[in-house]
Amino acid sequence: MQTRYDFTDQVVLITGAASGFGELAAQRFAQAGAKLALGDINADAVQAVADKIKATGGEALAMACDVSNNDQVEAFVATCVKTYGRLDIGINNAGISHPKKRLHQLDEANWDQTNGVNQKGVFLCMKYELTQMVEQGAGVILNVASAAGLMGSPFLSLYSSGKHGVIGLTKSAALEYGKMNIRVNAICPAFAKTPLVENSLKASGGKSRENLMAGNPMKRLGEVEEIVQAMLWACCKDNSFMNGAVVPLDGGLAAS
Ligand code: NAI
């Protein structure tokens, strides 16, 4: 796909860049001229994504980074700034799900793991990204929330609560940092064909895929490309007055 966006020489940091939205976003931002800092808990896989970008003439550094770990996030952002001299765009995308169960059947470990990555992880990334962006006097942050952050999600209560939390972080930071020329927004995808969704559908078995499609106003799942194109638009320089926005990318699911 040809990109219509120009991110020449902009420094873009992406978490969870080894798979799904993060992996394709890395490729698309690189094709649009960005210099990339790619982090993931899966060190080998994120290195492979960076190597592929470098092999086609792009610039990318890869680093093992567990977003739930303060020191690793601080080191990742510091490495990005040391390498490229700045950080223009932070895409806080890393996320996990949890076993589908009723709330009373989930336990403390499920809470700690899910919200450690999905909510605390976004807070930590924002903390260190914003520290750099305040110093620069400019920046863009895009958090990957979920339609589950806009609605209740039966059997995924901890995932849903963490994604509601990401939206709270996004809106609060937008109000705090707008006057500093830093835009903070969130996207809320639902059921796009990434490994996260495909694995969960496999685990659910039966008619899960058909049921999901039937329950969506557009009667299909989302393509990863559709989400990534919205990421490019959300972060591009021309989209300069969008701040504090929470954008559903869900075929209309959250409109119901
Ligand atoms: P994915 O499973 O394909 O990719 C997630 C990536 O995050 C993986 O590379 C994984 O290794 C990495 N990761 C997991 N834990 C990490 C940690 N502690 N630190 C750093 N990296 C970590 O999933 P997908 O679908 O691309 O998800 C990306 C984001 O989009 C997540 O935040 C997810 O909640 C969100 N999302 C996805 C939807 C979908 O339809 N696929 C729907 C709504 C939200």
Side-chain angles (χ1 to χ4, degrees):
M1 169 169 294
Q2 291 296 313
T3 178
R4 357 177 231 287
Y5 297 99
D6 182 7
F7 288 93
T8 304
D9 290 336
Q10 288 194 59
V11 178
V12 180
L13 177 151
I14 305 175
T15 67
S19 173
F21 300 150
E23 179 182 6
L24 188 64
Q27 290 167 13
R28 294 292 178 252
F29 275 98
Q31 287 162 354
K35 300 174 179 178
L36 292 159
L38 306 177
D40 202 285
I41 199 167
N42 186 337
D44 291 344
V46 78
Q47 186 62 56
V49 174
D51 288 346
K52 205 166 147 191
I53 288 169
K54 286 192 275 187
T56 53
E59 272 190 76
L61 74 85
M63 198 163 155
C65 174
D66 176 350
V67 295
S68 67
N69 181 302
N70 178 78
D71 295 351
Q72 291 186 28
V73 174
E74 185 175 20
F76 179 39
V77 175
T79 302
C80 169
V81 174
K82 195 171 167 210
T83 306
Y84 297 123
R86 56 187 294 111
L87 168 60
D88 297 301
I89 298 168
I91 301 182
N92 302 320
N93 164 74
I96 56 172
S97 193
H98 60 75
K100 285 191 173 178
K101 291 181 181 174
R102 290 188 196 279
L103 191 147
H104 77 276
Q105 295 164 328
L106 293 163
D107 55 31
E108 188 182 13
N110 295 126
W111 172 274
D112 289 344
Q113 194 185 20
T114 309
N115 283 316
V117 177
N118 292 358
Q119 191 171 7
K120 179 182 157 192
V122 170
F123 158 64
L124 291 174
C125 290
M126 291 176 76
K127 172 179 166 64
Y128 292 107
E129 291 161 359
L130 285 165
T131 301
Q132 174 62 25
M133 289 172 179
V134 167
E135 205 176 306
Q136 293 170 182
V140 175
I141 289 179
L142 183 65
N143 293 327
V144 180
S146 169
L150 297 168
M151 323 153 64
S153 302
F155 309 105
L156 281 174
S157 53
L158 305 185
Y159 181 82
S160 177
S161 77
K163 294 297 188 179
H164 275 79
V166 170
I167 292 171
L169 288 167
T170 303
K171 289 182 173 177
S172 303
L175 297 176
E176 289 180 28
Y177 296 95
K179 60 180 168 293
M180 299 179 205
N181 196 26
I182 299 168
R183 301 192 293 114
V184 185
N185 296 293
I187 53 168
C188 294
F191 302 120
K193 297 175 204 162
T194 67
L196 184 91
V197 166
E198 295 293 355
N199 292 339
S200 150
L201 286 176
K202 260 182 231 154
S204 306
K207 293 194 140 214
S208 308
R209 184 179 298 272
E210 288 74 17
N211 291 343
L212 267 190
M213 293 196 295
N216 189 288
M218 293 185 78
K219 303 298 171 201
R220 64 176 176 87
L221 301 185
E223 300 295 332
V224 179
E225 187 77 55
E226 294 176 302
I227 308 305
V228 169
Q229 289 301 315
M231 288 178 165
L232 292 159
W233 164 75
C235 295
C236 79
K237 277 187 175 161
D238 291 342
N239 191 15
S240 47
F241 204 46
M242 189 172 99
N243 185 37
V246 177
V247 182
L249 300 170
D250 61 357
L253 190 65
S256 59

